[in-house]
Amino acid sequence: KKEIAEKLQKAESQFKRLFEAAAKVRKTIVATLDTQYRMHEQIMNTIKQFYQEELAATGGLKCGITETMDIPDLGNKGSRWHGITLNPIIQPSTHAVWIDVHTPETYLNPGYKNEGELKAIDLVLKALQQADGYSEFIDAQQKTEDKEIGIITFYSGQNREIKKNYDYRINKKIKRGEYICDVVDRFQGMERNIVVVSTVRSNKKPGGIGFAKDIERINVAFSRAKRLLIVVGNKRQFESNSNYAASIANMETVSFEQLKDAIR
């Protein structure tokens, strides 16, 4: 699986270089798509800054499902409505949330993990299971992958800790099709209705977010969700990065304390 992911990533990088080289030689050779149909517009707005320059001539990244995305019908293929309610965390009209967690990171030599974010992920998953409309949402999904919650992180150390709790291959107590967990690089090309992202880095260093600042990684992580994106991390730390600041500006912010209080 790792080898396949690496080959796909390498192939994508080669295609990107070919695309850019062709555009420099003759712009009419290539055409960049400016409309996406995967995600709700709120989720798209968390990544649109990455396309401003590339799609400047056409007005930036566009959402091709604006007419259908809010139809309250889980069977409608063009709808990105989820119908999940848990005050004050999620409403049916909520599609992008940042859970603000300030717990410091732990260096693993190599890599990092964040215990506070692991607790926050656990609370998020419990909150979803307790939320009004969640059972109806899951029951309405026909495919296993549409039922799965994706859990993505930027760091392999955090990924190992997450998988101990939520990966079916490791913990047989969790039902197949409930969660899929991995690092962002291996989520390339995948999508899920609901995605939880763990950012991990939390320290006193200005701009100290390591390779989590990589534009392509941010873009991939935030664009895997179709209906609901929930990001867990230190808001102040990541807002110091202009790309994350633009993303966070298009998300609802919820504190760890609010999340904790919402659990019944």
Side-chain angles (χ1 to χ4, degrees):
K1 195 172 184 181
K2 181 179 179 181
E3 290 178 359
I4 293 172
E6 289 173 348
K7 286 179 181 178
L8 287 173
Q9 190 174 7
K10 184 178 180 181
E12 184 188 31
S13 299
Q14 289 173 340
F15 176 78
K16 183 179 178 181
R17 287 195 293 271
L18 178 63
F19 181 95
E20 292 172 345
K24 288 177 182 177
V25 174
R26 188 178 176 184
K27 291 185 178 180
T28 56
I29 292 176
V30 297
T32 303
L33 300 178
D34 63 359
T35 305
Q36 67 80 29
Y37 297 87
R38 171 189 294 154
M39 66 202 86
H40 191 281
E41 189 174 36
Q42 281 184 32
I43 301 172
M44 185 201 77
N45 286 340
T46 70
I47 61 164
K48 65 182 181 180
Q49 68 270 21
F50 302 124
Y51 299 88
Q52 286 178 345
E53 184 177 342
E54 185 180 7
L55 301 178
T58 59
L61 187 62
K62 299 179 180 66
C63 182
I65 52 172
T66 53
E67 294 183 0
T68 59
M69 65 184 184
D70 291 320
I71 295 174
D73 179 2
L74 292 168
N76 186 302
K77 290 184 178 180
S79 176
R80 296 298 178 264
W81 185 79
H82 54 68
I84 299 170
T85 302
L86 183 67
N87 292 319
I89 314 300
I90 303 167
Q91 298 290 331
S93 60
T94 305
H95 297 274
V97 183
W98 185 285
I99 307 293
D100 194 14
V101 181
H102 299 143
T103 310
E105 66 197 33
T106 301
Y107 181 54
L108 297 176
N109 191 27
Y112 294 87
K113 70 173 182 178
N114 191 306
E115 290 288 347
E117 289 188 22
L118 292 171
K119 292 178 182 177
I121 290 169
D122 195 50
L123 290 177
V124 165
L125 299 178
K126 287 179 180 177
L128 286 170
Q129 290 172 351
Q130 293 180 10
D132 294 335
Y134 181 73
S135 294
E136 291 80 358
F137 167 77
I138 292 297
D139 290 343
Q141 306 309 311
Q142 301 299 314
K143 298 178 181 178
T144 297
E145 65 183 39
D146 290 335
K147 295 177 182 285
E148 286 178 336
I149 294 177
I151 307 176
I152 304 174
T153 183
F154 293 111
Y155 287 89
S156 59
Q158 186 80 339
N159 182 48
R160 288 192 296 272
E161 296 299 315
I162 292 170
K163 282 190 171 184
K164 288 178 184 177
N165 295 324
Y166 309 114
D167 193 299
Y168 176 82
R169 292 166 298 176
I170 296 172
N171 185 349
K172 297 297 190 294
K173 293 180 181 179
I174 294 173
K175 292 183 291 184
R176 185 184 297 276
E178 198 165 358
Y179 307 111
I180 178 171
C181 324
D182 225 323
V183 290
V184 63
D185 294 342
R186 294 181 197 163
F187 254 90
Q188 191 96 22
M190 289 197 280
E191 60 184 26
R192 291 296 185 272
N193 278 313
I194 301 174
V195 169
V196 181
V197 178
S198 175
T199 55
V200 181
R201 302 304 299 272
S202 180
N203 53 65
K204 296 181 179 180
K205 301 174 185 177
I209 60 175
F211 60 66
K213 67 183 177 183
D214 182 84
I215 288 175
E216 291 185 358
R217 284 192 171 98
I218 307 169
N219 192 8
V220 169
F222 290 4
S223 64
R224 300 304 93 194
K226 294 164 64 177
R227 300 177 192 256
L228 179 59
L229 169 67
I230 301 175
V231 183
V232 176
N234 187 326
K235 182 180 178 182
R236 181 181 294 179
Q237 179 98 31
F238 281 85
E239 270 187 330
S240 64
N241 178 284
S242 60
N243 286 314
Y244 278 101
S247 295
I248 293 169
N250 288 289
M251 298 182 186
E252 301 289 334
T253 298
V254 174
S255 70
F256 179 82
E257 289 71 24
Q258 287 176 304
L259 173 63
K260 190 175 180 180
D261 290 345
I263 306 298
R264 294 192 289 269

